[in-house]
Each structure stands twice: as structure tokens, then as C-alpha cells.
Amino acid sequence: MANIVLDNRMTCIAECVRRGAVLADIGTDHGKLPVYLAQTGRISRAVAADINDMPLKKAESNIEKHGLSAVIDTCLTDGLVGIEKYSPTDVVIAGMGGELIENILEKATIDKNGVKFILQPMTKEDSLRQYLCENGYEIIDEYIVKEGKIYQIICAVYNGMITKMESSEYLLGRINIEKRCDLLGELLEKVIKRTKAKLDGKASAGIEAEDEKKCLDELIKISENMRV
């Protein structure tokens, strides 16, 4: 059976998983990520979890087809609930809204200490980053990838420390800003456009928009610094 091939987004997520990890892939869909990581020898074990029975059955079929049933377990569950029995060291939650990821982390029953969380929100990246900062997670790395559209990948660990960032950093990622990767400019352009639209909408409705003004100023400053 041929090895699984991942797209740019999933390849970046896969590379964030630590070598020798016990992986929990939450919302696994077809189980492609754990299969790929097992095929390439990057993980020692994995559990592919999903809240819906149909995608989990597809994952089970995919795992069996590639001869990896002894390495990858499957679990029908809501997010991370009950996943503690697998003792994951690395957790991937990808391809869902930022607020849903927050909810999964909030309800998690695993011991978070020492676990690397690899998160790829489809929406509300700013809300997710703020949740992490306010709930004891440290963002240790970030990536911007493009696969048709732009995606942000956030790596975090739990240390119990509460932190705060600027609005622009919640939107773009402090580490992404520091890295100044090739895709930051494209992401920045989209975020500036969206922030201006919010500001204009509030202004038209006669609603105070100080937060949006401050955020836009921060974003423009970042854009100017990138040209230096």
C-alpha cells in the first residue's frame, strides 16, 4: 500500500508533531494524519478520535488498509474527553473553528502538563490565541501556510502562566510577526482589510470603535516595519 501524501497544511501540522510522540488526533476525519506519521516512523503510537461515527469508520478502514491497526487506535468521543487513557504527548486539533477548539480544550480530561498542543483553527484565530493566553497556555511556535487559502498553525504547551498580547498579535501571532515569513504580508493585508471593514461598519452605525482603531494602527505599524 502506497504511503499517504499530505497537502501543505497537513504537512506543516505533521512536522510539528515531536518524534516518538504518542499522538491524539482530534477530529481525525479519514485518519490520514496518524497514518502518515506512523508510516514515516515519526510517532510511537496514536489514537484517531472523532465525535461522529461515519468519519471514524472511514479512519478505521484507512488504518486497517495500511496495516497499522496495532499502532493506531480509534475512539468515538467528544473532543479530548476520555483520551487520557491513551496518555498522549502530542495533541492535534485541526480543521475546525477556533471557538470549537477552545471548547474542546475547556472540556479536556487529559493531564495537560508536558503535552504539546498543535492547533489549526479555520476561524477565530484571535479568539483562540486570547483563550490560550488567558488560560495558562504558552504559545511556543506558529506557522502560516497556504493551501488554496491561508491557514495559521499554533503550537502551545500548558504552564499555568497567564499572559496578554496586543490585538494585532492575537490576530497574526506574535511569533509569526517576529519570523516575518513570506506569507505574513499576504495575511496582514487580509487582516487589515477585515479590520477596516469592521471599523467602517461601526462608524456608519454610529458605534464607538476605539478597539478597532487601535488594532488598525498596530497592524499598519507592523506593515510599515516589514518594509524596513
Side-chain angles (χ1 to χ4, degrees):
M1 183 62 62
N3 281 6
I4 291 283
V5 177
L6 301 179
D7 62 19
N8 290 339
R9 176 178 69 96
M10 293 306 295
T11 296
C12 186
I13 290 168
E15 289 172 352
C16 291
V17 176
R18 295 175 290 189
R19 293 198 175 275
V22 177
L23 172 71
D25 183 28
I26 308 303
T28 194
D29 196 23
H30 288 57
K32 286 184 177 180
L33 179 66
V35 168
Y36 171 85
L37 289 167
Q39 285 180 328
T40 54
R42 195 174 185 96
I43 57 172
S44 58
R45 289 195 58 79
V47 55
D50 209 288
I51 195 171
N52 295 310
D53 190 51
M54 188 169 289
L56 199 64
K57 280 187 174 11
K58 290 178 181 176
E60 287 171 355
S61 175
N62 212 11
I63 292 162
E64 186 177 345
K65 182 172 70 176
H66 287 88
L68 291 166
S69 298
V71 180
I72 306 170
D73 292 315
T74 59
C75 182
L76 184 66
T77 188
D78 181 5
L80 281 160
V81 176
I83 296 295
E84 63 273 9
K85 64 185 176 183
Y86 299 98
S87 302
T89 62
D90 292 43
V91 170
V92 170
I93 313 175
M96 58 188 81
E99 290 175 330
L100 179 53
I101 295 175
E102 292 172 32
N103 185 254
I104 289 171
L105 292 174
E106 191 68 24
K107 294 192 297 183
T109 52
I110 64 169
D111 180 358
K112 294 177 287 189
N113 292 299
V115 175
K116 183 178 183 181
F117 293 89
I118 301 152
L119 314 172
Q120 185 271 297
M122 302 297 279
T123 58
K124 301 282 187 181
E125 296 90 349
D126 55 335
S127 175
L128 177 57
R129 282 194 182 92
Q130 187 167 355
Y131 171 85
L132 293 170
C133 289
E134 292 177 353
N135 287 274
Y137 293 84
E138 178 189 1
I139 297 172
I140 59 170
D141 212 346
E142 295 178 307
Y143 300 89
I144 306 170
V145 295
K146 190 170 185 179
E147 186 66 47
K149 60 175 281 188
I150 286 183
Y151 300 94
Q152 297 189 58
I153 297 163
I154 303 165
C155 300
V157 294
Y158 182 80
N159 63 9
M161 301 289 289
I162 310 303
T163 56
K164 184 174 173 57
M165 294 194 289
E166 300 292 344
S167 298
S168 57
E169 293 174 325
Y170 288 134
L171 285 163
L172 299 171
R174 180 179 287 173
I175 295 173
N176 283 332
I177 295 167
E178 290 170 355
K179 283 182 177 179
R180 292 194 184 190
C181 71
D182 292 342
L183 289 168
L184 179 60
E186 188 173 341
L187 175 61
L188 183 55
E189 188 178 327
K190 290 178 182 295
V191 172
I192 287 174
K193 186 176 180 181
R194 194 165 67 231
T195 305
K196 281 180 176 177
K198 283 184 182 178
L199 183 58
D200 291 345
K202 283 193 171 184
S204 297
I207 300 170
E208 183 59 56
E210 282 303 314
D211 289 344
E212 286 77 9
K213 287 177 186 173
K214 182 176 180 294
C215 183
L216 184 58
D217 287 343
E218 291 171 13
L219 293 168
I220 290 169
K221 185 174 181 180
I222 292 166
S223 181
E224 289 171 347
N225 287 340
M226 285 182 65
R227 300 192 193 105
V228 176

